[in-house]
Amino acid sequence: MQLFHGYIKEDKFHLHEHEINHCVRVLRKHAGDTIHFITGSGPLYKGHIEVATKQLVSGNFELIEERFGCFDYNLTVAIAPTKQLDRMEWFVEKAVEMGITKIVPILCDHSERRILKPGRLEKIALSATKQSLKGALVSIAPLITFRDFIEGQSVDYIAHCGQGEKHAFKTQISEQNGPITIMIGPEGDFSETEIKLALEKGITPVDLGKSRLRTETAALVAVATLYQRHL
Amino acid sequence: MQLFHGYIKEDKFHLHEHEINHCVRVLRKHAGDTIHFITGSGPLYKGHIEVATKQLVSGNFELIEERFGCFDYNLTVAIAPTKQLDRMEWFVEKAVEMGITKIVPILCDHSERRILKPGRLEKIALSATKQSLKGALVSIAPLITFRDFIEGQSVDYIAHCGQGEKHAFKTQISEQNGPITIMIGPEGDFSETEIKLALEKGITPVDLGKSRLRTETAALVAVATLYQRHL
């Protein structure tokens, strides 16, 4: 099934500008054709095209499925963006395919990458959402410092490679209801100060298995753990 | 810890040619220095450099750890190489980081990529092995047809997206001892004939969760499932 990204306005659906060319020029859809589209908020719709020009695709629509391709957990991964951007991009794609609610890029003491443009990540997320047949778009937050992040919201877990007692993430989340937030550190791990701050806030230190994983691999293992939780 | 790839010959260790430049020119190691190295068969060694030239790094050595960074399962993933090679490369890196024993590229009815050069995949595997601190190199088999593969060896599981009864891979492997082999199909899935052949051979059909996953993501979920099995 080919999915488009659209929006609803005054009882009609409209495709977003970036989808029109593919719909009209590549797939040669025209008035009278039906397409499937998502708005990003969750549902799957069927659209009956009434107008199809180079500037506009719109028409009537019907709701097909309320929570399309939804998953049964709410997972936020706060991750220090990797030095090589393609590693972060891979993570976004894979996390969306499996199912993730929100990605928060965090700026840590040891972060080498200190600037992140969200545009390309959002494009990758949209493409993976459509490809993996989901109705809800993952939210990609603006870059925030580690300290602001743990001050500003409830965080459940910190996955770090340092010393000290840690719990298996898989066991911790096996029976946890409600939203889950886990933080994954940069290439050089969280700093000792950051780990101390997190523990003081009551954030549970977890490990994701015994291999030394790269940042984006650790984040993926966390997502895969939730994805497979109830199988 | 910085790891090198070497071999042992006549009671001395020698670094492989592709490692010498990094050791001698970049890290400026010389006679009298010690380095850590793996041969790819499992152990971690410490090497005492006696000769360090642009052509040769060698010396005495001692065994540090017999099964260095080993994992407690034996997993073979037979995967149809993806059309875009970087997706396959990415899978190899992540699978090695988590822990995998063997990767077998298989040629399926719907495979778009019908040629695969193993050189680059082996290089990525070596790099990930060193980076994730493991002593055993993953084996990357030559490309083989689906039919030859299922005829030639015992295969446990086939993950496909078609109809029919399937079992959750996670549940299936939770108590399985001994080597595990799973097959992951190409972008267009296994053909109906291939699925039928597999079932006739007694290969168990499995699913890896309810999302529609890309080839390399499905393979990665299978590895992550084993990696997290006993946490």
Side-chain angles (χ1 to χ4, degrees), chain A residues 70 87 90 93-94 97 131 134 170 208-212 214 216-217 221 225 227-229, chain B residues 70 87 90 93-94 97 131 134 170 208-212 214 216-217 221 225 227-229:
Chain A
C70 73
R87 297 183 173 279
W90 274 112
E93 181 181 285
K94 298 308 160 208
E97 275 182 64
Q131 191 273 331
K134 291 183 174 61
K170 182 183 163 190
L208 296 160
K210 67 178 195 167
S211 278
R212 180 168 83 166
R214 285 180 179 276
E216 75 281 9
T217 318
V221 167
T225 308
Y227 174 66
Q228 293 245 310
R229 181 169 63 162
Chain B
C70 73
R87 297 184 174 278
W90 185 85
E93 180 181 286
K94 299 309 162 212
E97 276 182 64
Q131 191 273 332
K134 292 183 174 61
K170 181 183 163 191
L208 296 160
K210 66 177 194 167
S211 279
R212 179 168 84 166
R214 284 180 179 277
E216 75 280 9
T217 317
V221 166
T225 309
Y227 173 65
Q228 293 244 309
R229 182 170 61 163

Side-chain angles (χ1 to χ4, degrees), chain B residues 90-106:
Chain B
W90 185 85
F91 164 67
V92 169
E93 180 181 286
K94 299 309 162 212
V96 169
E97 276 182 64
M98 285 188 256
I100 188 168
T101 315
K102 190 174 181 180
I103 296 169
V104 184
I106 48 171

Side-chain angles (χ1 to χ4, degrees), chain A:
Chain A
M1 177 166 45
Q2 167 86 47
L3 284 186
F4 293 95
H5 186 210
Y7 60 97
I8 290 164
K9 194 178 157 185
E10 292 164 4
D11 289 341
K12 298 282 180 190
F13 87 87
H14 301 260
L15 289 194
H16 283 289
E17 210 179 315
H18 58 264
E19 297 282 57
I20 292 175
N21 188 55
H22 187 65
C23 182
V24 175
R25 303 282 291 267
V26 181
L27 300 176
R28 297 180 178 278
K29 298 283 183 190
H30 45 68
D33 285 343
T34 58
I35 55 171
H36 286 93
F37 72 91
I38 60 170
T39 60
S41 67
L44 169 69
Y45 298 96
K46 186 185 270 186
H48 305 279
I49 301 178
E50 293 170 341
V51 181
T53 69
K54 286 178 198 171
Q55 287 80 38
L56 178 73
V57 175
S58 75
N60 283 316
F61 65 93
E62 56 187 302
L63 175 69
I64 300 293
E65 195 180 330
E66 191 66 64
R67 302 184 67 224
F68 176 56
C70 73
F71 35 96
D72 64 354
Y73 53 85
N74 181 316
L75 173 65
T76 296
V77 172
I79 177 175
T82 51
K83 191 176 162 192
Q84 292 171 275
L85 201 55
D86 59 346
R87 297 183 173 279
M88 184 73 180
E89 292 172 357
W90 274 112
F91 164 68
V92 169
E93 181 181 285
K94 298 308 160 208
V96 168
E97 275 182 64
M98 285 187 255
I100 188 169
T101 315
K102 189 174 180 180
I103 296 170
V104 184
I106 48 172
L107 196 57
C108 299
D109 290 345
H110 297 162
S111 287
E112 291 197 58
R113 172 173 292 280
R114 307 193 75 82
I115 292 170
L116 184 75
K117 291 180 187 161
R120 196 171 144 74
L121 295 183
E122 282 164 2
K123 205 170 159 185
I124 288 167
L126 172 62
S127 169
T129 304
K130 294 193 298 178
Q131 191 273 331
S132 65
L133 304 182
K134 291 183 174 61
L137 264 174
V138 62
S139 155
I140 299 180
L143 192 64
I144 183 174
T145 66
F146 174 91
R147 283 161 183 78
D148 286 348
F149 183 67
I150 64 168
E151 285 303 325
Q153 73 158 73
S154 151
V155 177
D156 304 289
Y157 304 109
I158 181 168
H160 70 83
C161 312
Q163 299 299 310
E165 200 194 348
K166 280 181 255 180
H167 306 270
F169 180 63
K170 182 183 163 190
T171 317
Q172 288 287 313
I173 54 97
S174 65
E175 299 297 335
Q176 184 180 347
N177 293 313
I180 293 170
T181 298
I182 182 171
M183 294 191 295
I184 309 286
E187 275 89 345
D189 203 2
F190 291 108
S191 69
E192 281 184 30
T193 314
E194 285 169 337
I195 295 169
K196 193 163 160 280
L197 280 172
L199 299 187
E200 282 168 8
K201 296 280 291 180
I203 298 170
T204 307
V206 287
D207 80 63
L208 296 160
K210 67 178 195 167
S211 278
R212 180 168 83 166
L213 302 175
R214 285 180 179 276
T215 293
E216 75 281 9
T217 318
L220 266 168
V221 167
V223 180
T225 308
L226 262 296
Y227 174 66
Q228 293 245 310
R229 181 169 63 162
H230 289 147
L231 289 187

